Amino acid sequence: MATGKPVPEKQIGELVTRLQQAAGTNLESVILYGSAASGDYDPEYSNVNLLCVLKDTALPKLLALAPTAKWWTKQKHPMPLVITREELERSADVFAIELIDMRQQHRVLFGPDVVASLEIPMDLHRAQLEYELREKLILLRQQMLLAAGDKRRTWDLLLRSLPAFSTLFRHALIAQGLPMPVTKREALKALAGNLGWDASPFERVLDIREHRADPRQLEVQEVAARYLAAVEQVTAAVDRMLDRQGPRS
């Protein structure tokens, strides 16, 4: 669901102009991806994600972009990903999740569309999915230990971890050959129906992110306990599901 909050189009446009001026003919393409391209952008939690494709990434060519990069980060935005077209195409085997998302939801700001035709091996996508779920589950446990007894810190952990888990839940559906939902809420409902797990703790956290609910009206430890249990359940289900599927191209 779109938040209705504006993407900083003026800043993005100025960045593209600065990149063109700084890189000249070395700039091949600039791609906007992520929530700013999908309509799910929230300036309180979302980043403006950009892919900057250069023909040459040797250090002198990179340094030509340094003033532009410093200006952009001063606007409180993360650095664009800087890559060559060949690197992008050859990265599909290790960044399958990220590039599937990018391929589905992106906007070309300059140059050719270098993303739409990417070929992504789905067997490696499934391997990355299980790795990412297990890694983020372990990190979630660590952070919950550190946040123990601190309601504000616990809410912040849940709010900031939700996008990553929502992305992985969408890809759990893709790994089963099911349609890929666009929004976080659609992904939660689809996976809940598919695996029979309780999506309500994620929906409560999403309600807070979208300012539909007041965290003061909820017991954070109860939400956190159900949130963690749900992540564990999905991770185990994905593991079993992928084992049953076996190798697939």
Side-chain angles (χ1 to χ4, degrees):
M1 177 178 296
T3 63
K5 297 181 181 179
V7 174
E9 298 287 358
K10 184 176 180 180
Q11 289 182 351
I12 294 171
E14 184 171 350
L15 174 68
V16 174
T17 299
R18 287 174 180 249
L19 286 171
Q20 290 177 266
Q21 293 171 345
T25 58
N26 190 42
L27 182 65
E28 183 169 359
S29 185
V30 182
I31 305 288
L32 178 71
Y33 67 96
S35 59
S38 69
D40 203 24
Y41 181 78
D42 185 328
E44 187 175 353
Y45 297 104
S46 304
N47 288 324
V48 175
N49 298 307
L50 291 158
L51 181 72
C52 178
V53 182
L54 300 180
K55 297 174 184 176
D56 184 350
T57 54
L59 184 58
K61 299 292 187 179
L62 288 178
L63 293 180
L65 303 180
T68 299
K70 291 178 181 177
W71 171 82
W72 182 245
T73 56
K74 284 183 179 178
Q75 313 308 309
K76 308 299 183 184
H77 298 303
M79 277 287 296
L81 302 180
V82 179
I83 196 169
T84 67
R85 187 167 186 169
E86 181 182 5
E87 283 180 312
L88 178 66
E89 292 169 349
R90 295 184 67 84
S91 295
D93 55 348
V94 291
F95 297 128
I97 288 175
E98 295 83 356
L99 293 181
I100 286 175
D101 280 347
M102 193 181 297
R103 188 176 63 184
Q104 186 196 36
Q105 294 288 343
H106 67 277
R107 175 154 51 102
V108 178
L109 304 177
F110 173 81
D113 188 342
V114 298
V115 172
S117 61
L118 287 174
E119 296 184 5
I120 300 169
M122 295 308 294
D123 57 331
L124 299 179
H125 165 264
R126 301 201 317 276
Q128 185 188 0
L129 172 62
E130 183 177 353
Y131 171 83
E132 295 280 354
L133 275 169
R134 292 200 178 280
E135 179 194 41
K136 287 178 172 53
L137 171 57
I138 291 169
L139 291 173
L140 179 64
R141 289 174 180 148
Q142 291 174 332
Q143 294 300 314
M144 283 188 168
L145 282 172
L146 294 173
D150 188 329
K151 291 183 178 181
R152 182 173 180 178
R153 188 171 178 179
T154 302
W155 275 126
D156 186 65
L157 170 61
L158 298 179
L159 289 163
R160 296 194 179 279
S161 66
L162 179 66
F165 284 117
S166 297
T167 294
L168 295 176
F169 294 166
R170 283 192 292 111
H171 283 269
L173 295 166
I174 295 172
Q176 298 175 76
L178 299 173
M180 181 177 182
V182 173
T183 70
K184 298 177 181 65
R185 202 173 291 274
E186 290 171 349
L188 293 173
K189 290 181 179 179
L191 192 62
N194 184 254
L195 296 182
W197 61 286
D198 181 14
S200 63
F202 294 92
E203 291 172 334
R204 298 293 78 74
V205 176
L206 186 55
D207 286 341
I208 293 169
R209 276 180 61 101
E210 295 178 351
H211 306 289
R212 298 182 177 194
D214 185 346
R216 293 172 296 184
Q217 303 301 316
L218 299 169
E219 175 50 55
V220 67
Q221 292 304 320
E222 179 186 348
V223 175
R226 291 164 55 214
Y227 187 101
L228 176 61
V231 173
E232 291 174 338
Q233 184 179 353
V234 173
T235 302
V238 167
D239 182 31
R240 292 192 296 269
M241 173 189 70
L242 299 186
D243 283 346
R244 288 195 301 271
Q245 288 180 350
R248 185 178 71 183
S249 59

